[in-house]
Amino acid sequence: MNIEQKLFEDAKALIKERYPKGWGGAAAMYSKNGKTYTSVAPEIINASSALCIETGSILEAHKYQDIITHSICVVRDDEKSEFKILTPCGTCQERLLYWGNQIKVGVTNEDQEVKYKKLTELQPNHWTKAYDDIDFVE
């Protein structure tokens, strides 16, 4: 099984464990050191202070000074629903960009297949293209 499919399976397994009934969402990320980080969004009372599902995995990688190479966010509407891949929101794209624009991220697609694209493909006109001196951590 390749990294991309393994991350999809890891995220699904976490959803099934953490959210046995109802809605569920989880992220899985793979690192240069061969480690997989998974996370869920915290359940909070005030929606204005919500965090994305991927945030925990991003913070764990920072904690261990690791470099993310792949990321996927998976959700389902309830325990009887199909799993869906969510393309990272703009904020998570910016968070992941710390490790460079070549990171592969799972993307939403009509075929419901596990597909990944590089960050640079998601935003071909990203603001970093205005600068020649941006050094990404890689």
Side-chain angles (χ1 to χ4, degrees), residues 64-130:
Y64 293 110
Q65 298 179 345
D66 207 349
I67 296 169
I68 296 299
T69 61
H70 296 75
S71 176
I72 193 168
C73 182
V74 180
V75 298
R76 66 154 196 233
D77 296 329
D78 59 47
E79 68 276 12
K80 295 178 180 104
S81 299
E82 296 288 322
F83 289 95
K84 303 175 195 176
I85 298 171
L86 301 183
T87 303
C89 73
T91 300
C92 284
Q93 288 179 41
E94 293 294 327
R95 290 172 178 157
L96 290 167
L97 187 65
Y98 172 78
W99 293 292
N101 61 13
Q102 298 301 302
I103 292 176
K104 292 181 178 179
V105 297
V107 294
T108 305
N109 63 84
E110 294 175 3
D111 302 330
Q112 299 296 323
E113 294 178 6
V114 178
K115 291 185 181 180
Y116 284 73
K117 291 189 177 203
K118 293 179 181 178
L119 280 178
T120 191
E121 294 176 84
L122 296 184
Q123 293 189 13
N125 300 306
H126 192 268
W127 64 266
T128 53
K129 301 226 187 231

Side-chain angles (χ1 to χ4, degrees), residues 127-135:
W127 64 266
T128 53
K129 301 226 187 231
Y131 300 92
D132 295 332
D133 60 348
I134 292 181
D135 291 324

